[in-house]
């Protein structure tokens, strides 16, 4: 019938248009996520230096120390009463001091030795990867990211928010990608954590990584920033 013959081309055209529209929406959704692929070089002048970060750590230690001393003094005052009234209690108190001294000695040894025997970072070590981030080679797709730090440590992260072992087996890593940037959480031995938030400039030429370093040396994380310039554009 003539009517059907004239209708078929129109139907085909509508189908093609709908398919093109769906493909455009899918492409827009996939490209809305930030892409950090490239070779990035550290900009020392616009980045926090290791000495800056160490100063922040020491200032935080100094700020937290009076609170720790106050807590220790209050504990000592509350326990002095029974020890003065009972010989047996005094003996127990002396034993407690001995145990406490032993623990303190171990903590001091961990901070001064090169290693604590199990590869865990020391409490006052510099943040992980700080000495290996002058060049970052980043490869990324819709499902994963691969980062090589100075041609040494390699980070492989699936962008699904699931924790996996990475960094040559030295950390448990969790990676998540959103429209506003990338978040990488790293858990090291010795209760050391590093949280990185990556943000790219609008022209794609610069990368700012804001990092929160959690260490047993202090209660509050130390926050610092590293800035990079892209070399391969």
């Amino acid at each position: 019938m003539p009517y059907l013959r004239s209708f078929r081309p129109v139907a085909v055209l509508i189908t093609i248009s709908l398919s093109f529209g769906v493909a455009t929406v899918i492409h827009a959704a996939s490209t809305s996520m930030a892409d950090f692929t490239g070779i990035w070089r550290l900009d020392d002048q616009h980045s926090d230096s290791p000495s800056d970060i160490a100063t922040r750590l020491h200032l935080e230690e100094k700020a937290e120390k009076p609170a720790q001393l106050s807590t220790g003094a209050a504990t000592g005052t509350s326990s002095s009463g029974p020890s003065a009234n009972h010989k047996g209690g005094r003996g127990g108190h002396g034993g407690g001091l001995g145990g406490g001294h032993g623990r303190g000695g171990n903590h001091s040894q961990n901070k001064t030795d090169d290693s604590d025997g199990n590869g865990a970072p020391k409490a006052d070590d510099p943040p992980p990867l700080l000495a290996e981030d002058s060049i970052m080679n980043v490869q990324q797709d819709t499902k994963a990211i691969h980062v090589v730090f100075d041609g040494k440590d390699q980070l492989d992260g699936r962008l699904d928010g699931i924790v996996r072992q990475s960094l040559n087996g030295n950390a448990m890593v969790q990676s998540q990608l959103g429209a506003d940037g990338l978040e990488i959480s790293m858990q090291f031995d010795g209760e050391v954590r590093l949280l990185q938030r990556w943000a790219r400039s609008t022209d794609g030429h610069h990368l700012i990584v804001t990092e929160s370093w959690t260490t047993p040396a202090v209660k509050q994380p130390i926050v610092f920033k590293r800035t990079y310039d892209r070399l391969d554009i």
Side-chain angles (χ1 to χ4, degrees), residues 132-152:
E132 301 177 0
D133 65 346
S134 60
I135 295 290
M136 294 196 307
N137 189 342
V138 181
Q139 300 296 324
Q140 177 190 330
D141 57 29
T142 57
K143 295 182 178 180
I145 186 168
H146 177 74
V147 185
V148 180
F149 298 91
D150 285 359
K152 301 175 183 177

Side-chain angles (χ1 to χ4, degrees), residues 194-214:
L194 193 65
L195 176 62
Q196 295 184 338
R197 291 183 173 92
W198 294 28
R200 194 184 60 177
S201 63
T202 53
D203 61 6
H205 292 187
H206 308 285
L207 168 64
I208 298 175
V209 180
T210 303
E211 311 195 35
S212 297
W213 171 38
T214 303

Side-chain angles (χ1 to χ4, degrees), residues 1-9:
M1 297 177 62
Y3 175 77
L4 290 178
R5 291 194 189 97
S6 61
F7 178 76
R8 286 176 183 173

Side-chain angles (χ1 to χ4, degrees), residues 17 20 26-27 34 41 43-44 51 57 81 88 101 111 116 121 138 152 154 164 174 178 189 201 219:
S17 300
F20 178 76
I26 294 175
H27 177 73
R41 180 177 61 190
D43 181 357
D44 291 317
S51 60
L57 173 63
H101 179 71
K111 294 186 67 176
D116 61 3
V138 181
K152 301 175 183 177
Q154 300 187 31
R164 294 179 177 87
Q174 181 184 37
D189 290 338
S201 63
K219 294 181 180 179

Side-chain angles (χ1 to χ4, degrees), residues 84-146:
N85 295 332
H86 304 285
K87 291 183 178 180
R90 185 174 183 177
H93 182 68
L97 283 176
H101 179 71
R103 289 193 297 271
N106 290 337
H107 178 70
S108 175
Q109 183 178 1
N110 287 344
K111 294 186 67 176
T112 56
D113 289 349
D114 291 337
S115 172
D116 61 3
N118 63 0
K122 296 177 292 184
D124 54 357
D125 271 349
L129 301 177
L130 193 65
E132 301 177 0
D133 65 346
S134 60
I135 295 290
M136 294 196 307
N137 189 342
V138 181
Q139 300 296 324
Q140 177 190 330
D141 57 29
T142 57
K143 295 182 178 180
I145 186 168
H146 177 74

